[in-house]
Amino acid sequence: MDGPFLIAIGLIASGDPALTEIIALSLKVTLTAVSIGCLVGLPLGAGLALARFPGRGVIVVAFNALMGLPPVVAGLLVYLMLSRSGPLGDLALLFTPTAMVIAQTILILPIVISLTRSVVEDLWAEYREQLRSLGAGRLRSVPTLLWDGRVSLVTGILAGFGRASAEVGAVLIVGGNIAGHTRTMTTAITLETSRGSLGLAVALGIILLLITLSLNAAAWGLAQSARGRLG
Amino acid sequence: MKVDKVIASATTILPLRLKDMSYSVGNARLLDGIDLTVKAGRRLVVMGPNGAGKSLLLRLCHGLIEPTSGSISWQSQDPRPAAQAMVLQRPVLLRRSVRANLNYPLALAGYARAARSEMVQKTLARFGLIPLAERPARLLSGGEQQRLALARAWALRPQILFLDEPSAALDPSATRAIEDLIFQFSAEGITIVMTSHDLFQARRLAQDVAFLHRGRLIEHGPAAQFFDAPQTPEARDFLGGALIW
Ligand SMILES: Nc1ncnc2c1ncn2[C@@H]1O[C@H](COP(=O)(O)OP(=O)(O)OP(=O)(O)O)[C@@H](O)[C@H]1O
Ligand SMILES: [Mg+2]
């Protein structure tokens, strides 16, 4: 019998269809979740940075705490919502890619919100009077601050992407790891390892590592070049 | 928007009147009972030792902070007219190109894209910034940054310009360039209110002087009178280099 590494290399080199399908689904789920997380989280985080209202501190702390939400707990919550007896049971979303997107969005959103809030808050302290002097109101300052904080924001979002794509607990609970339907890289690794078929597991592990590595390289490269280009 | 703009620049917002204006933070009265009128078309230099309240006074006039008591009112009755601009003591340049920094306030003011790019181009040319136009503003030298900040404030065609230490930390030739620009603005009819630490610069530029000491305005009048015959011992010490704070 070949060692798992040889099998893995073989699978990757031959572009095994089961393997590529799993990778494609994983990336699709995580990319969708990150996009939704940014669409909602960037304006919300910036708003939270500029707004002053009673109870703001509680919300800030809550989102900071939610960054550490254990993925299995997020998965469990989504499961309870979507299960047939749950409040959203009629939508029949449990064990679909959509359910996995929801779970991952819940994991990513607090990261994007907290990151955006802290980046925008710091910038606001520096920019506040200048923007007012130039004629920008509070609301109009939001896109300005997001754009000027773009380097830190993108770096943080890439890290969020890394966390989401490496996550297994939530997608396993709400996706169910159904072959050809909701099987992602991480759930497949879990299953294949427990079944003792290490070839596919190792192949996926290698791909996952490469993705994480290139995300970090991208974040680092971006920060480096931005420092040189933008000051 | 456009129509408002024409009307706004047709009517003068000056003079600016401060009546018994005070500014406090907690129990500290940082500016105390300031009475001051800023007349149209003049160059007023606000002087005083470090911490006297010069920057606060300019920020209050410009409307960046609100007085604790007393009033600051414009001839136009507008609470915060658009036809004014300020160069802060530490100007903040946006993390974008020089061109984008000039474009930004014009976009906020509602100018259409075509008008804007023409105004930006004119401003770049006037301030000698064309070779730097596409450079990231944050990476310019201190002098270049100061020039850009001045250009950005001027681009809005203000009736009054507040300049807080516009040439601090610049070399003599850069300082000279800034002073020339200030004279040109003044000749175009822009009212100038500025602070300076440099007594020689103040002598060169000032038509009027306001002298602040520990948050109080203790002298205000024509420059010649202030420099030749200061009325208060504090001003005499300051001009003689003896008053540190
Ligand atoms: N938000 C604030 N809270 C407390 N004190 C303040 C605040 N802002 C300014 N001050 C104090 O008010 C005084 C006047 O400050 P200001 O910046 O106007 O001085 P300045 O005359 O411009 O001095 P410099 O010549 O050093 O620029 C200083 O003693 C400063 O420490
Ligand atoms: Mg100052």
Side-chain angles (χ1 to χ4, degrees):
Chain A
M1 190 188 137
D2 279 344
F5 274 100
L6 278 180
I7 302 175
I9 303 290
L11 285 173
I12 295 172
S14 69
D16 180 71
L19 180 76
T20 45
E21 193 187 321
I22 293 173
I23 296 170
L25 178 71
S26 296
L27 289 179
K28 200 175 103 189
V29 166
T30 304
L31 270 175
T32 312
V34 169
S35 308
I36 298 174
C38 290
L39 232 55
V40 177
L42 288 173
L44 223 60
L48 198 55
L50 301 201
R52 289 290 172 271
F53 54 90
R56 176 180 176 274
V58 177
I59 295 181
V60 169
V61 172
F63 277 119
N64 283 341
L66 280 176
M67 284 201 293
L69 181 71
V72 283
V73 176
L76 183 60
L77 287 174
V78 175
Y79 183 93
L80 291 173
M81 298 292 285
L82 297 183
S83 71
R84 226 173 311 147
S85 55
L88 300 176
D90 292 343
L91 299 177
L93 288 175
L94 201 57
F95 305 134
T96 64
T98 308
M100 300 195 291
V101 169
I102 295 174
Q104 290 213 332
T105 304
I106 289 178
L107 290 176
I108 292 169
L109 199 54
I111 300 179
V112 177
I113 290 180
S114 295
L115 167 80
T116 308
R117 186 203 44 80
S118 102
V119 168
V120 170
E121 212 166 78
D122 286 352
L123 269 183
W124 182 232
E126 183 192 354
Y127 279 43
R128 184 185 187 129
E129 290 210 343
Q130 184 68 70
L131 292 184
R132 182 161 165 73
S133 173
L134 295 176
R138 219 171 249 263
L139 202 59
R140 184 56 186 77
S141 299
V142 168
T144 306
L145 295 167
L146 286 176
W147 181 247
D148 273 40
R150 58 199 179 276
V151 176
S152 319
L153 289 175
V154 170
T155 311
I157 288 164
L158 285 176
F161 189 96
R163 181 183 181 211
S165 60
E167 183 281 323
V168 59
V171 290
L172 187 57
I173 294 179
V174 304
N177 193 27
I178 302 163
H181 184 48
T182 58
R183 184 160 295 172
T184 66
M185 290 192 271
T186 53
T187 59
I189 291 176
T190 313
L191 179 75
E192 300 300 320
T193 307
S194 69
R195 287 207 308 213
S197 73
L198 295 178
L200 185 58
V202 170
L204 288 166
I206 292 172
I207 302 283
L208 207 48
L209 266 178
L210 284 178
I211 290 176
T212 311
L213 213 63
S214 41
L215 280 176
N216 278 288
W220 185 80
L222 183 77
Q224 287 301 307
S225 82
R227 204 157 297 146
R229 280 183 302 112
L230 302 171
Chain B
M1 190 91 203
K2 278 281 113 60
V3 178
D4 287 347
K5 199 130 238 91
V6 173
I7 295 170
S9 54
T11 56
T12 174
I13 60 172
L14 291 157
L16 167 68
R17 293 187 187 86
L18 282 68
K19 288 212 183 76
D20 197 23
M21 193 278 300
S22 298
Y23 181 78
S24 316
V25 174
N27 284 330
R29 208 155 237 252
L30 302 175
L31 284 175
D32 191 4
I34 309 277
D35 287 294
L36 176 69
T37 300
V38 179
K39 286 182 244 130
R42 306 278 292 179
R43 294 187 302 273
L44 169 66
V45 177
V46 179
M47 301 178 69
N50 287 132
K54 304 180 294 295
S55 295
L56 281 177
L57 181 66
L58 263 59
R59 285 160 63 212
L60 281 154
C61 289
H62 186 46
L64 296 179
I65 47 180
E66 302 291 323
T68 315
S69 66
S71 70
I72 298 179
S73 56
W74 298 88
Q75 179 70 24
S76 60
Q77 304 294 328
D78 202 327
R80 187 162 186 275
Q84 51 163 338
M86 176 161 179
V87 176
L88 297 170
Q89 187 161 5
R90 278 186 290 271
V92 179
L93 299 176
L94 304 179
R95 290 172 168 77
R96 313 166 186 206
S97 68
V98 167
R99 186 187 296 281
N101 265 275
L102 291 175
N103 183 61
Y104 182 79
L106 297 173
L108 288 182
Y111 290 101
R113 186 178 293 270
R116 225 152 65 206
S117 76
E118 198 186 311
M119 288 168 86
V120 167
Q121 201 57 36
K122 267 194 194 138
T123 310
L124 286 169
R126 158 150 211 191
F127 288 81
L129 292 169
I130 287 180
L132 306 176
E134 312 309 329
R135 296 256 298 271
R138 294 275 188 147
L139 296 183
L140 301 180
S141 78
E144 291 163 345
Q145 293 198 13
Q146 197 65 29
R147 192 142 41 100
L148 173 56
L150 201 59
R152 188 173 60 177
W154 178 83
L156 283 165
R157 310 295 147 91
Q159 292 180 27
I160 181 168
L161 254 179
F162 297 100
L163 307 173
D164 198 352
E165 314 272 357
S167 62
L170 297 189
D171 72 21
S173 72
T175 301
R176 196 45 206 265
I178 300 274
E179 288 180 16
D180 285 346
L181 284 167
I182 293 173
F183 276 119
Q184 289 172 28
F185 298 161
S186 182
E188 291 162 19
I190 301 176
T191 306
I192 304 287
V193 178
M194 61 178 286
T195 66
S196 177
H197 270 123
D198 179 345
L199 283 178
F200 295 102
Q201 175 171 73
R203 275 178 198 271
R204 283 192 294 270
L205 287 171
Q207 292 175 316
D208 298 316
V209 169
F211 182 69
L212 279 176
H213 183 245
R214 295 190 184 160
R216 287 183 311 111
L217 181 67
I218 59 174
E219 286 204 37
H220 177 216
Q225 183 190 315
F226 176 81
F227 289 115
D228 298 340
Q231 303 296 304
T232 57
E234 289 86 354
R236 273 195 292 278
D237 287 351
F238 181 76
L239 291 173
L243 182 67
I244 312 300
W245 50 67

